[in-house]
Amino acid sequence: MIVFDLSGKGAIVTGSTRGIGRAIAEGLIAAGARVVISSEDADDTARVAAELGMPGLPCDVSSDDDLAALVEFALAALGRLDVPVCNAGITGRAGPFATIDMDDYARVMAINLRSQVVLCNLALPHIAAAGGGAAILIASLSALRGNGRINAYALAKAGVAQLARNLAVEWGPQAVRVNAISPGFIATELSQPLIDDAAFMARRMAMTPLRRPGTPQEIGGTAVYLASAAGAFVTGHNLVVDGGTLITDGS
């Protein structure tokens, strides 16, 4: 048995047209899975689905109807669903909780946390009925560290890690594994302004033992591990992929 082989498996990756989401989709495809590509932008979804040779469906993850349609589309297009990856998210407005805009807070929580609850509730019964599988929820290093500017995003991502634990307990007896991935600082299009900020990078890399940002492909590889037989005895875990930022004292 090839433990990292996903041949014959069907997956959904939300927010999979760029950055970490696309890298996860590409990693699953390289391991043999068929993957439904999805983002809220219809043009981006169609373009990336064509580039990767996979089915695609636009989905606004804040819409329960869109999420239900996404699961039904995956079942029809792939014939099965084994690996839902809840990746879509937004950062929201930076700042302390003392000055938070509660409308922004509500949107961040809806997209980053509530959508993952809804998608899992829609997908996991199908996965259990087919004999089992593995859900992957994207959390964040920010959920594990205090920060004066990352407010609702960090709170939502902490909820994602707890969601993985709860769902692992709930669905484990039906052979469904649920894990979270908490990326650290990853070099993506969205993080490019920070990468271009020399002072920020000097400070942040001094806090990171590997002294470099991560790559989207490294998160993609982590997802393949959790989705495949290689991770078959791992559930309810929040796997931190951060170059060591969490564990260092900066020395």
Side-chain angles (χ1 to χ4, degrees):
M1 178 177 66
I2 303 173
V3 294
F4 292 98
D5 182 28
L6 294 174
S7 297
K9 304 297 185 182
I12 293 170
V13 182
T14 62
S16 49
T17 58
R18 61 179 178 175
I20 289 173
R22 176 162 180 163
I24 290 173
E26 290 175 343
L28 297 176
I29 292 165
R34 295 274 294 164
V35 179
V36 171
I37 304 302
S38 182
S39 81
E40 65 178 354
D41 187 298
D43 291 341
D44 284 350
T45 299
R47 174 181 55 80
V48 174
E51 290 172 357
L52 299 181
M54 293 288 151
L57 185 73
C59 177
D60 175 356
V61 298
S62 67
S63 165
D64 292 6
D65 289 343
D66 275 18
L67 289 170
L70 182 63
V71 170
E72 292 305 316
F73 177 82
L75 291 169
L78 306 176
R80 60 186 297 146
L81 179 57
D82 306 277
V83 186
V85 181
C86 302
N87 168 73
I90 60 172
T91 57
R93 299 177 188 172
F97 276 103
T99 59
I100 196 168
D101 180 299
M102 292 307 294
D103 289 337
D104 184 66
Y105 170 91
R107 178 163 172 75
V108 169
M109 297 299 284
I111 291 175
N112 291 7
L113 179 56
R114 186 183 187 279
S115 71
Q116 299 204 26
V117 175
V118 174
L119 182 54
C120 287
N121 281 344
L122 290 164
L124 299 191
H126 293 286
I127 295 170
I136 299 171
L137 317 183
I138 303 302
S140 171
L141 177 63
S142 67
L144 298 168
R145 297 169 62 93
N147 190 296
R149 291 182 55 77
I150 303 176
N151 47 51
Y153 177 83
L155 184 59
K157 292 300 189 177
V160 168
Q162 183 60 38
L163 176 63
R165 291 185 282 267
N166 280 19
L167 292 178
V169 171
E170 182 176 347
W171 289 95
Q174 297 181 68
V176 179
R177 296 183 296 109
V178 185
N179 291 288
I181 300 174
S182 281
F185 187 76
I186 307 297
T188 66
E189 177 184 331
L190 290 178
S191 66
Q192 191 60 47
L194 293 174
I195 293 172
D196 294 338
D197 184 335
F200 169 84
M201 288 300 291
R203 183 173 68 254
R204 183 58 186 261
M205 293 304 100
M207 297 167 55
T208 302
L210 292 186
R211 299 295 193 265
R212 65 171 178 85
T215 69
Q217 290 72 30
E218 287 166 331
I219 306 302
T222 303
V224 170
Y225 162 68
L226 291 175
S228 69
F233 204 53
V234 179
T235 195
H237 187 59
N238 180 22
L239 182 50
V240 180
V241 186
D242 71 340
T245 306
L246 180 64
I247 55 85
T248 185
D249 63 0
S251 62

